[in-house]
Amino acid sequence: SPLKSDYATEQKRGLSVWEGDSRTDCSEVLAYLRFTGLSDRGERRFVQHVCQHPHSGMRNWGAEAVTSLVKAVLNHKFEPPLHQNVKLQVSVLAPIQELSVIPHSDIRQRQLDCVLQVLHSCGDTLQQGWPLILGVIGALNKDHSEKLVQMAFQCLQLVVTDYLPVIGSEHLEVVVEVAARFGLQTQDLNVSLTAIGLLWNISDNFFQNRQRIKQDLDSQLSDKERGKGEALPPFDALWMCLFRRLGDLCVDSRPAVRKSAGQTLFSTISAHGGLLQQNTWRTVLWKVLFPLLENVQKFSSSASTTRDQQATGNILIHHSRDTAEKQWAETRVLSLAGVARTFNAKRRVLQHLGDFPRAWSLLLEYIETSALCRNAEVSLAALKSFQEILQISRDTKDKSDDLDLPQAMLRPPAAEEIHRSDDTSTPPSTPPATQETISDSADNDIPLWSAAWRVWLNIGTNATKPPEPQGEGPAQGARGERVYVPSQNFLTALILTFPPLFEHIKARFVTNDLQQFSQVLLSALSVPVHGDASPFIIPSYPDVTITPLQEASLQAMEALVKAVRGGTTSLQAMHPDLFDQLLTCATFGVQAPSYGAIQAKAFGSVKGPQVDWVSMNFVPFSERALEIVVDLYRASCSHPSVISAHVLQNILKPYGVMRMYSRRLAVS
């Protein structure tokens, strides 16, 4: 330590330079700073004043003094080593961190240069100095230039790449927080996307070193914290920090960041969620997944529907992503699909949570809201998510995308197998016995499946409701709004969802349910096709075949026929209602159904200029429906409900339609 008189003399000289002309040679200040050695808080405050001086030369001398002293001390050979003296190491690094409050970019640049040199020279011996170093790296603000952000991110990349295994387990949460800050900064998009990749690398490190990290965190847990039964285990709390930060990035204002963060979040949960304890999944549901769905739905509903030319500039953007609303629709699709896959993959774990019925109902509510959204992409994706949580397997191609229908009934997948909506690989085969049974005993919980059935009815009833009478234009509603008509893809996916769902609810399926289903089915079949899309959906003459929606409807009715023929007494009593539904479909062959006040041209009569709406060709569909009627009557003609309801008389009423089938009727 210097003598008191010498110390006072040097301090006086330094202050005289500080208060004097800014053009004065700053070498005396540097000599003073090196002389004092930054050993006192008052001296460090003085250095901060020097580094904030309006003259750049004065600031640079002050920063040079701080950084050179810190590097010199860290490289000095102490006995015992510096990393064993925690208090001293923190005191040495504190002046570097205190420079973070200075807004000048030149000071920030010197600070980051010092941190980078410290990492290269003694990064493996920092020990308790990591929070200070990470705090310096993550000290971002909106005034920093793109170059400064890139310099700071270079330091973070070095930490994650080279020093993550040697960082104390108690400091790993700080690493996650700092990486998330770089993901949220808006100066450099590439840095944000790369930061999300670093979060994935960090999660991989957590997994590879899970035993060591868990032991270290548990050993540092105090007795008081151990007594808190509701607190998360330290290792699970570390994962929750990672999930929350990724969830924040999923609602970023930039579409590319949202998409990358969403994919990383759900991939991380899928890959490493098995490490979490069962009770932690309750926190994942209510603190990460459901808040994510709520925020995405809120931002998607309030997004702008007009293209922002200033934001896009001269970049050519596809018409499906040229507005904020369409970009948020993509995020909504990704989020809902990810949550549904998580529910399906972790079904056995989630079912043992006490609030699983509430979580199930809330997820169904989000699915219903999204399915009734007027964005075709969101509504179709909601039905795919509905199928996901109902454990409906997919073949090599997604049936609702290309509208090719399966040849057999859809079956639930075995165990916890996940089939992604964009998966093009063939799912592994499973034994027939496994495919025919429900994967878990809790799947038989009638209230859960009854809630799913109500959601299906709500979606079907509201989505197929005809629009109000049109305004002046053919595509305008009563209020001048454009008429919304669900797409054939959406309706096909909706009807395809019924047979597997029916397998879960047929034990309590009553006549009223059949009537409601019939109403949804007939309304869906009545929906016309827009004139622009008709050449791609309606087959051309003479290649007259049924459409995918009609095929799905026939499969749904065949599932009902099978259940009624071999079911309980209450199901067999539905024979008359089932015949009425089939006969109504049969009459569509001679008189196509109307859809509200929309005027649609009949199939085959569209010539010349394009029309707005075209009705389907129902002749092949009507023939198939009559075949089902004939087969069902042969098997049930002696049933009391069929005789008392005069089903044969109802069949023969539209004789003009069915005369070609009258010879095939078997009259008992």
Side-chain angles (χ1 to χ4, degrees):
S1 300
L3 296 176
K4 187 175 182 180
S5 58
D6 295 337
Y7 182 85
T9 302
E10 292 295 335
Q11 186 180 32
K12 184 177 180 180
R13 291 176 59 196
L15 289 174
S16 65
V17 176
W18 164 257
E19 296 172 351
D21 189 355
S22 60
R23 293 171 294 179
T24 304
D25 186 2
C26 300
S27 59
E28 297 184 26
V29 176
L30 177 61
Y32 160 72
L33 294 174
R34 287 177 173 170
F35 180 77
T36 58
L38 303 177
S39 60
D40 184 78
R41 289 186 179 181
E43 306 309 323
R44 294 207 301 266
R45 285 196 296 269
F46 172 75
V47 173
Q48 289 183 15
H49 286 302
V50 174
C51 294
Q52 296 182 57
H53 196 275
H55 188 265
S56 60
M58 180 72 76
R59 293 198 304 268
N60 289 332
W61 278 112
E64 174 66 21
V66 174
T67 55
S68 60
L69 283 171
V70 170
K71 289 183 289 186
V73 173
L74 290 176
N75 291 324
H76 182 73
K77 302 298 182 181
F78 287 91
E79 287 297 337
L82 183 62
H83 66 270
Q84 296 181 6
N85 191 336
V86 176
K87 185 176 180 180
L88 179 59
Q89 189 180 61
V90 172
S91 299
V92 171
L93 293 173
I96 289 292
Q97 186 189 34
E98 291 170 357
L99 295 180
S100 300
V101 300
I102 300 175
H104 299 290
S105 59
D106 52 350
I107 300 299
R108 175 65 174 170
Q109 182 174 353
R110 286 185 174 274
Q111 181 192 35
L112 292 174
D113 287 336
C114 177
V115 169
L116 191 60
Q117 294 180 31
V118 168
L119 290 174
H120 281 297
S121 61
C122 53
D124 53 345
T125 60
L126 287 177
Q127 301 295 330
Q128 297 300 322
W130 279 113
L132 298 175
I133 294 296
L134 292 170
V136 172
I137 296 174
L140 302 173
N141 61 56
K142 296 181 180 179
D143 297 329
H144 286 169
S145 64
E146 183 177 336
K147 180 180 178 181
L148 288 178
V149 172
Q150 292 173 352
M151 288 182 61
F153 188 65
Q154 182 182 359
C155 297
L156 179 63
Q157 286 180 303
L158 180 61
V159 171
V160 175
T161 304
D162 294 350
Y163 298 112
L164 197 58
V166 301
I167 296 178
S169 301
E170 67 275 15
H171 305 318
L172 292 177
E173 187 171 332
V174 183
V175 180
V176 174
E177 297 284 354
V178 173
R181 290 180 198 171
F182 281 94
L184 292 172
Q185 58 80 33
T186 57
Q187 286 91 328
D188 193 326
L189 176 61
N190 290 331
V191 168
S192 296
L193 297 176
T194 310
I196 296 173
L198 286 184
L199 288 173
W200 170 259
N201 295 338
I202 292 172
S203 70
D204 191 48
N205 176 268
F206 291 171
F207 175 76
Q208 293 177 357
N209 300 280
R210 56 190 180 277
Q211 296 294 342
R212 175 183 61 83
I213 296 175
K214 189 175 185 301
Q215 291 176 0
D216 292 346
L217 294 177
D218 290 343
S219 63
Q220 298 171 8
L221 197 64
S222 64
D223 295 336
K224 183 178 180 180
E225 292 174 336
R226 294 178 191 274
K228 297 180 180 179
E230 298 181 357
L232 292 178
F235 188 57
D236 288 14
L238 182 62
W239 282 105
M240 284 303 305
C241 175
L242 177 64
F243 294 156
R244 285 195 180 102
R245 298 291 79 81
L246 285 172
D248 294 338
L249 289 166
C250 287
V251 292
D252 190 87
S253 59
R254 296 161 293 180
V257 174
R258 295 198 301 267
K259 182 177 181 179
S260 179
Q263 293 173 341
T264 303
L265 171 62
F266 294 113
S267 297
T268 304
I269 293 177
S270 175
H272 307 309
L275 299 177
L276 302 179
Q277 295 188 11
Q278 180 174 319
N279 290 334
T280 306
W281 276 101
R282 179 180 288 105
T283 308
V284 174
L285 285 180
W286 299 107
K287 298 296 184 181
V288 178
L289 298 183
F290 285 135
L292 173 62
L293 291 179
E294 181 181 0
N295 292 331
V296 169
Q297 181 173 300
K298 178 180 66 176
F299 288 123
S300 177
S301 302
S302 60
S304 173
T305 58
T306 59
R307 181 176 180 180
D308 188 358
Q309 188 67 31
Q310 183 178 1
T312 57
N314 296 325
I315 300 177
L316 185 62
I317 299 179
H318 192 265
H319 66 85
S320 63
R321 295 289 180 265
D322 58 356
T323 66
E325 181 189 32
K326 296 176 182 178
Q327 293 166 354
W328 274 104
E330 181 185 22
T331 305
R332 192 170 180 178
V333 168
L334 177 64
S335 302
L336 190 58
V339 174
R341 284 197 299 268
T342 302
F343 256 77
N344 192 21
K346 306 301 178 182
R347 179 184 296 266
R348 294 184 178 180
V349 177
L350 299 178
Q351 284 173 342
H352 291 87
L353 300 178
D355 52 358
F356 177 74
R358 184 164 66 99
W360 174 267
S361 300
L362 185 57
L363 178 59
L364 290 176
E365 181 181 336
Y366 281 114
I367 290 177
E368 179 181 347
T369 303
S370 299
L372 296 177
C373 175
R374 293 203 168 189
N375 184 288
E377 181 183 8
V378 174
S379 59
L380 182 58
L383 290 182
K384 291 182 180 180
S385 299
F386 196 16
Q387 294 175 355
E388 190 80 43
I389 66 173
L390 295 179
Q391 293 186 335
I392 301 175
S393 64
R394 295 180 176 86
D395 293 338
T396 55
K397 293 188 294 182
D398 195 328
K399 303 304 181 296
S400 57
D401 281 346
D402 57 9
L403 295 181
D404 291 331
L405 295 175
Q407 299 299 323
M409 290 290 295
L410 297 173
R411 293 184 293 267
E416 294 181 357
E417 181 181 351
I418 307 175
H419 297 292
R420 302 181 185 274
S421 58
D422 55 351
D423 190 6
T424 57
S425 60
T426 304
S429 58
T430 54
T434 304
Q435 292 179 341
E436 295 296 335
T437 58
I438 302 173
S439 63
D440 197 270
S441 59
D443 285 346
N444 291 314
D445 194 344
I446 294 298
L448 298 180
W449 295 113
S450 297
W453 169 240
R454 288 193 298 270
V455 168
W456 190 93
L457 284 177
N458 292 338
I459 295 174
T461 302
N462 291 283
T464 60
K465 184 183 299 182
E468 298 178 1
Q470 297 177 353
E472 297 179 359
Q476 299 295 322
R479 301 178 182 177
E481 301 175 351
R482 186 171 182 83
V483 171
Y484 172 75
V485 176
S487 66
Q488 293 292 302
N489 291 23
F490 174 84
L491 297 173
T492 303
L494 176 66
I495 302 303
L496 279 175
T497 309
F498 173 76
L501 179 59
F502 176 70
E503 293 298 319
H504 297 290
I505 63 171
K506 63 182 179 181
R508 292 192 178 184
F509 198 78
V510 296
T511 304
N512 184 49
D513 294 326
L514 177 60
Q515 294 173 352
Q516 290 178 305
F517 167 74
S518 300
Q519 181 181 357
V520 172
L521 181 66
L522 297 178
S523 298
L525 290 170
S526 304
V527 175
V529 181
H530 196 272
D532 295 336
S534 60
F536 305 99
I537 298 177
I538 303 177
S540 59
Y541 184 83
D543 185 20
V544 179
T545 58
I546 62 176
T547 65
L549 174 59
Q550 294 170 356
E551 178 67 31
S553 302
L554 290 172
Q555 288 188 2
M557 290 187 289
E558 287 174 350
L560 284 172
V561 169
K562 181 180 178 181
V564 169
R565 288 175 58 178
T568 61
T569 304
S570 60
L571 283 175
Q572 292 183 6
M574 300 180 190
H575 272 103
D577 296 286
L578 189 55
F579 273 110
D580 290 341
Q581 176 184 338
L582 290 167
L583 291 174
T584 302
C585 293
T587 60
F588 289 172
V590 292
Q591 185 177 2
S594 60
Y595 186 65
I598 292 182
Q599 298 178 359
K601 293 290 184 179
F603 169 77
S605 63
V606 179
K607 298 179 181 179
Q610 189 64 269
V611 296
D612 288 314
W613 303 102
V614 180
S615 62
M616 292 292 185
N617 176 29
F618 287 97
V619 174
F621 172 74
S622 177
E623 294 175 353
R624 289 277 301 276
L626 285 174
E627 291 176 358
I628 297 176
V629 168
V630 172
D631 294 338
L632 179 60
Y633 187 77
R634 282 175 176 169
S636 61
C637 59
S638 60
H639 195 276
S641 62
V642 175
I643 298 174
S644 61
H646 306 289
V647 170
L648 180 59
Q649 183 179 356
N650 295 334
I651 294 175
L652 295 177
K653 278 183 180 179
Y655 182 77
V657 179
M658 295 178 290
R659 61 182 182 273
M660 59 183 298
Y661 293 95
S662 59
R663 297 179 181 178
R664 299 177 56 184
L665 288 174
V667 181
S668 57

